[in-house]
């Protein structure tokens, strides 16, 4: 990335990646294990620490600057008393959550730019949160690891922004490992990297359909899971989340659930199982089998969890018929956004051309493809002001 020259005025550079989820969708708030990767699309945050209580941030991509006082973060207002614009709620929320954890916050001035397409299910907002959190950890010597850092960002999202998300996105942006998927158990919070074979490539395709009503629909899905759990606990007391119920246990009593709750819970129980199977397939290089799980996951998200769109379904069906594609599915929350495919590296160019041209021919609409590498998580660099970040 050629950073804008303005970054040279800043001593610190915090870089946080977006993420793609390969398998395990909508189960990070149901106690399941997920398989995301950090991707080589990033938020770049340049900053200098100040001695006052003011945080001033310029969002280069939006051409907007905002200043707010640390002691007014709770009120969500800037130094003039106006409501904070939406994009600035992410950093403000991180500092709010950190302060609630008794972590110190310092004033600073910074600029931010991003190569993660916004609002497409690639966690551009989690990357913003993680970039600011890692910067403040550096400024104020917080003694916390990347997992704790991710939790602060999730708390910001849940309690300050109002999206009841799980921990997957912030976790992946903070803990990414090069060339690896991250097997992350959202109950125990244990995780390990699983290296991707080098003959396969992650390819993401953006439907360019923005995710309408995604916050309310997302929160509503989560509530349905909570209700289904309460019903299932009547038979299986002591289970604290849906992923603790096996497929056979679920099948024994599934007919007792109300129709919508039944569909949501069925997705969750089976998706948990798919991730546990996938990990073995991946270790044994059984990519065809892994791809089949991705396809099954998409069908379940479409029919049971009902978070797909006709555009995503159509992209997935084209993708799955192209030579060299092991499997495709929608990635992230859904309701628009992107699909992810696992593609033979030697077929990537042909795959991208065929997917884009078939979609254009059949719909008259353009889609956008990102060939990605699994990447490392957040980093913070420091340099003398006389040096340059810019190539
Ligand atoms: C969003 C949320 C995540 C996760 C996914 C769906 O990306 O932020 O926590 O729930 O949706 O898997």
């Amino acid at each position: 990335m050629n950073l804008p020259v303005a970054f040279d005025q800043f001593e610190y550079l915090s870089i946080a990646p977006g993420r793609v989820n390969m398998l395990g969708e909508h189960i990070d708030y149901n106690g399941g294990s997920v398989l995301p990767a950090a991707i080589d699309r990033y938020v770049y945050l340049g900053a200098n620490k100040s001695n006052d209580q003011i945080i001033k941030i310029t969002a280069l991509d939006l051409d907007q600057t905002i200043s707010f006082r640390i002691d007014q973060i709770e009120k969500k207002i800037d130094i003039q008393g106006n409501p904070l614009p939406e994009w600035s709620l992410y950093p403000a929320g991180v500092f709010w959550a950190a302060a609630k954890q008794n972590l110190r916050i310092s004033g600073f001035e910074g600029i931010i730019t991003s190569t993660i397409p916004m609002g497409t299910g690639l966690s551009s907002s989690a990357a913003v949160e993680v970039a600011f959190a890692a910067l403040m950890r550096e400024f104020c010597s917080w003694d916390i690891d990347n997992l704790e850092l991710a939790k602060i960002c999730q708390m910001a999202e849940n309690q300050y922004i109002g999206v009841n998300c799980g921990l997957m996105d912030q976790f992946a942006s903070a803990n990414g490992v090069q060339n690896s998927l991250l097997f992350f158990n959202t109950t125990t919070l244990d995780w390990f990297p699983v290296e991707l074979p080098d003959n396969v490539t992650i390819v993401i395709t953006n439907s360019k359909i923005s995710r309408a009503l995604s916050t309310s629909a997302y929160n509503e899905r989560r509530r349905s899971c909570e209700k289904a759990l309460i019903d299932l606990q009547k038979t299986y007391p002591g289970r604290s989340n849906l992923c603790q119920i096996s497929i056979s246990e679920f099948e024994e009593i599934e007919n007792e659930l109300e129709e919508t709750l039944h569909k949501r819970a069925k997705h969750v129980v089976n998706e948990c199982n798919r991730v546990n199977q996938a990990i073995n397939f991946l270790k044994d290089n059984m990519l065809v089998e892994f791809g089949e799980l991705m396809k099954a996951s998409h069908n379940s998200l479409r029919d049971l969890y009902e978070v797909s769109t006709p555009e995503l379904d159509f992209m997935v069906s084209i993708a799955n018929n192209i030579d060299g594609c092991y499997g495709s599915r929608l990635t992230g929350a859904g309701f628009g956004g992107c699909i992810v495919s696992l593609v033979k590296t030697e077929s990537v160019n042909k795959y991208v051309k065929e997917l884009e041209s078939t979609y254009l021919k059949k719909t008259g609409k353009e889609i956008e493809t990102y060939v990605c590498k699994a990447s490392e998580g957040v980093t913070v660099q420091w340099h003398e002001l006389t040096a340059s970040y810019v190539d």
Side-chain angles (χ1 to χ4, degrees), residues 1-3 388-391:
M1 159 82 176
N2 283 334
L3 279 178
S388 177
Y389 291 114
V390 181
D391 295 335

Side-chain angles (χ1 to χ4, degrees), residues 19 24-26 28-29 165-169 218 332-333:
R19 71 94 191 89
E25 216 65 86
H26 287 279
D28 65 339
Y29 50 86
C165 65
L167 186 54
M168 171 172 73
D169 305 348
Y218 182 93

Side-chain angles (χ1 to χ4, degrees), residues 70-238:
I70 293 173
D71 57 10
Q72 294 196 321
I73 289 179
E74 178 96 41
K75 293 193 189 141
K76 301 185 180 167
I77 52 172
D78 68 10
I79 40 176
Q80 269 104 37
N82 300 315
L84 289 177
E86 203 189 327
W87 64 269
S88 65
L89 293 176
Y90 294 95
V94 166
F95 305 139
W96 172 85
K100 293 270 174 213
Q101 305 295 311
N102 295 319
L103 294 167
R104 203 165 61 78
I105 310 296
S106 141
F108 69 90
E109 178 173 352
I111 55 171
I112 186 162
T113 185
S114 173
T115 57
I116 310 167
M118 278 197 284
T120 60
L122 300 180
S123 295
S124 54
S125 50
V128 168
E129 292 157 7
V130 169
F132 278 101
L135 176 81
M136 198 55 85
R137 173 171 66 182
E138 194 71 28
F139 280 166
C140 296
S141 308
W142 296 347
D143 186 17
I144 60 169
D145 65 11
N146 280 344
L147 190 61
E148 291 304 314
L149 198 79
K151 284 197 214 161
I152 288 174
C153 298
Q154 183 201 21
M155 181 178 166
E157 189 99 36
N158 292 171
Q159 296 181 32
Y160 193 83
I161 314 237
V163 180
N164 231 342
C165 65
L167 186 54
M168 171 172 73
D169 305 348
Q170 293 81 4
F171 161 80
S173 181
N175 287 291
V177 175
Q178 266 192 5
N179 300 325
S180 301
L181 304 186
L182 312 168
F183 182 83
F184 177 45
N185 180 324
T186 65
T187 297
T188 61
L189 305 187
D190 290 333
W191 68 278
F192 55 86
V194 189
E195 209 171 329
L196 267 179
D198 42 351
N199 55 347
V200 287
T201 299
I202 298 172
V203 183
I204 297 169
T205 311
N206 184 353
S207 66
K208 296 189 163 174
I209 302 287
S210 68
R211 300 178 306 155
L213 292 178
S214 55
T215 301
S216 55
Y218 182 93
N219 289 345
E220 186 262 322
R221 293 298 182 286
R222 187 165 179 161
R223 275 195 303 277
S224 295
C225 290
E226 286 159 6
K227 282 192 197 149
L229 177 64
I230 292 172
D231 286 350
L232 292 168
Q233 279 169 334
K234 289 178 195 146
T235 310
Y236 303 115

